[in-house]
Amino acid sequence: EPEVTQTPSHQVTQMGQEVILRCVPISNHLYFYWYRQILGQKVEFLVSFYNNEISEKSEIFDDQFSVERPDGSNFTLKIRSTKLEDSAMYFCASNDRGSTGELFFGEGSRLTVL
Amino acid sequence: GDSVTQMEGPVTLSEEAFLTINCTYTATGYPSLFWYVQYPGEGLQLLLKATKADDKGSNKGFEATYRKETTSFHLEKGSVQVSDSAVYFCALYLMDSNYQLIWGAGTKLIIKP
């Protein structure tokens, strides 16, 4: 069964460092998303991406964040200069056009900023 | 705005007990409704869904019925197991929302043997 894969599963970084989280969405999907979940809190939408551009982004997705689809398979989230409060689980998701909204999630990348 | 409200947790039950986790929503259109589950240390998995009023989603013994009149999508299971211990998230999706899911806060379920 096709699945969304994410790497790394866990990354520890120092405050101020750049981090890139990688995702490989399901191959025939056209819409891609990043969500995050701070430990013990609600899942929060960060950004959606379609046709090589951002469709929508939340207030959390400020200038420190960027997304890219560098090739036909990867979808990356970059945090330019990490802050302590960026520590969270980051989930990538994808779905196909015309779906009823079901998102297919990866297992998440846990980011710890020290 | 559109929102999802879930009952607060944790919910603690004994094995084989009946489970209900309440979920109500506010939406301007006709959303699709979902329950996602997050087992300890794992990612988010779709548990079940319903895309229109009166639809019943079911999976792994869990059920939820889309009730438009009460704007609810309560999750139920007749006999819970220890392995059902997890955090359960109710979510909605509107076609005009740029494919963004709107999430409830999650309800932690603890099943004791």
Side-chain angles (χ1 to χ4, degrees), chain A residues 31 33 35 37 41-45 48 55-56 89 91 95 97-108, chain B residues 4 32 34 36 38 41-46 49 51 89 93 95 97-106:
Chain A
Y31 294 84
Y33 310 80
Y35 285 79
Q37 185 185 29
Q41 296 187 24
K42 202 170 189 173
V43 178
E44 301 172 295
F45 169 76
S48 60
S55 305
E56 190 164 352
M89 181 75 92
F91 292 104
N95 65 0
R97 186 177 181 87
S99 74
T100 53
E102 175 183 347
L103 295 187
F104 294 83
F105 284 89
E107 294 202 346
Chain B
V4 174
S32 296
F34 304 87
Y36 280 84
Q38 186 177 31
E42 297 186 17
L44 294 159
Q45 301 174 29
L46 179 69
K49 67 178 182 182
T51 58
F89 293 92
Y93 160 82
M95 281 293 290
S97 66
N98 282 319
Y99 301 92
Q100 183 186 143
L101 278 180
I102 297 170
W103 296 82

Side-chain angles (χ1 to χ4, degrees), chain A residues 6-11 13 17-23 34 64 66-68 70 74-82 90 109-111:
Chain A
Q6 289 185 241
T7 54
S9 56
H10 188 193
Q11 181 157 356
T13 190
Q17 295 296 304
E18 176 183 283
V19 161
I20 297 176
L21 305 178
R22 292 183 167 80
C23 171
W34 283 101
Q64 293 300 311
S66 62
V67 289
E68 193 178 30
N74 289 284
F75 178 53
T76 62
L77 174 69
K78 182 193 288 187
I79 308 174
R80 188 173 310 133
S81 177
T82 50
Y90 288 81
S109 293
R110 180 170 296 285
L111 176 64

Side-chain angles (χ1 to χ4, degrees), chain B residues 44-66:
Chain B
L44 294 159
Q45 301 174 29
L46 179 69
L47 180 60
L48 53 84
K49 67 178 182 182
T51 58
K52 60 183 188 298
D54 299 326
D55 268 4
K56 179 187 280 188
S58 61
N59 186 26
K60 299 182 181 180
F62 290 88
E63 292 183 339
T65 302
Y66 188 143

Side-chain angles (χ1 to χ4, degrees), chain A residues 5 22-27 32 68-76:
Chain A
T5 57
R22 292 183 167 80
C23 171
V24 179
I26 294 173
S27 61
F32 315 115
E68 193 178 30
R69 188 153 162 82
D71 53 44
S73 59
N74 289 284
F75 178 53
T76 62

Side-chain angles (χ1 to χ4, degrees), chain A residues 40-65:
Chain A
Q41 296 187 24
K42 202 170 189 173
V43 178
E44 301 172 295
F45 169 76
L46 293 178
V47 66
S48 60
F49 190 88
Y50 170 69
N51 200 27
N52 285 319
E53 60 183 26
I54 291 173
S55 305
E56 190 164 352
K57 59 183 180 180
S58 69
E59 292 175 354
I60 303 166
F61 196 87
D62 61 22
D63 291 345
Q64 293 300 311
F65 290 89

